[in-house]
Structure formats: C-alpha cells, structure tokens
Amino acid sequence: MNSAQTHDCPLTIEIDDIDFMGHVNNSTYLKWVQAAVIEHWQRVASPTAVAAYMWIALKHEITYRKPAFLHDELTANVVLEHVRRESAFYETTIRRGGETIAEVKSRWCCIDAVSRRPVRVTEPVMACFFPEAADRQFSPTSG
C-alpha cells in the first residue's frame, strides 16, 4: 500500500551540529530523521494511538548529496512509503530550498508503549497512516 501523504519538518542547525570540517556532522542527520518521523506519527495518529504505540528505528540508509552549514535553512520531507506487519518504511529527504542535501530510507518497528514489545500495526493505526484507503475500505459504496 503506497501513500502520497507527506510531512515537512523544519530543521534547526545548532553550533554543536558542526563538525571539524565546518559542516553538519553525519550523526545530526539521524537526529533529524528521528524527530521528523516521530513528529509525522504524532501528527497523523489519534491521541489514543500515540499513547498506545511507539516507534523505534531499526535501520537507516543515508545518501549524502551536499554538505549543510550552520546558517542553512533546511527542511525534512517525510514520506511513509508502506507498512508491513510491525514495520513502517519511510523515505526522508533533507532539502535546502530546492536542493537535495541527503536522502534517508529507514525502517521503523511499532512497539507497545507498555510492554515495549513489537506489535503488528492494527487497522486503526493503518487508517491513521492511510486515511484514503480506510475511507474506500469502509465506505458504503465500496465492495
């Protein structure tokens, strides 16, 4: 199941994000992706779902295109590509204006907020991520 649903997250570059070469350190990109994906979840999910489920990163694959610097204005564009069992697969693009600075593919695992154990993504959570599909699935005219 694919989604055109996107989320833009403005990024802040702090002085501590700058490495010995004068540009944003690679580890900062991970911090940004984590914040952007969690912000996406909190935006699309109900308060009940946010309280019941958490997401942890399992894998990140980063392609760096251009360096970023202290005073750059950057945005992380988050796209949820698909969900399978307990996993959500995201693509995050870090941009400076129209320039792509980095591309990140990541896999996240849904965990129960109380037990901290992996859980399958439920239908109500899928409906948070893919509202158009849920509308079609449950509409009186579908079928």
Side-chain angles (χ1 to χ4, degrees), residues 10-115:
L11 304 173
T12 303
I13 302 172
E14 305 290 340
I15 190 71
D16 290 342
D17 296 330
I18 304 303
D19 66 13
F20 68 96
M21 294 186 59
H23 52 68
V24 173
N25 188 286
N26 292 352
S27 65
T28 300
Y29 290 81
L30 292 174
K31 176 179 72 171
W32 288 339
V33 169
Q34 172 118 2
V37 167
I38 298 302
E39 186 177 292
H40 172 257
W41 164 243
Q42 292 172 343
R43 181 180 62 89
V44 301
S46 68
T48 302
V50 169
Y53 304 106
M54 300 167 61
W55 292 90
I56 58 170
L58 297 179
K59 179 180 180 179
H60 295 293
E61 181 180 313
I62 303 175
T63 302
Y64 299 99
R65 300 285 180 203
K66 297 182 178 189
F69 303 96
L70 183 60
H71 298 292
D72 286 348
E73 292 184 20
L74 304 178
T75 302
N77 175 258
V78 176
V79 177
L80 175 61
E81 295 182 314
H82 65 278
V83 175
R84 187 170 44 95
R85 294 191 306 260
E86 71 286 341
S87 296
F89 298 83
Y90 278 90
E91 182 170 330
T92 304
T93 305
I94 312 254
R95 291 193 173 97
R96 175 178 49 224
E99 286 183 298
T100 296
I101 301 300
E103 297 162 320
V104 184
K105 291 210 174 260
S106 56
R107 178 179 173 200
W108 296 75
C109 180
C110 185
I111 63 170
D112 180 89
V114 175
S115 71

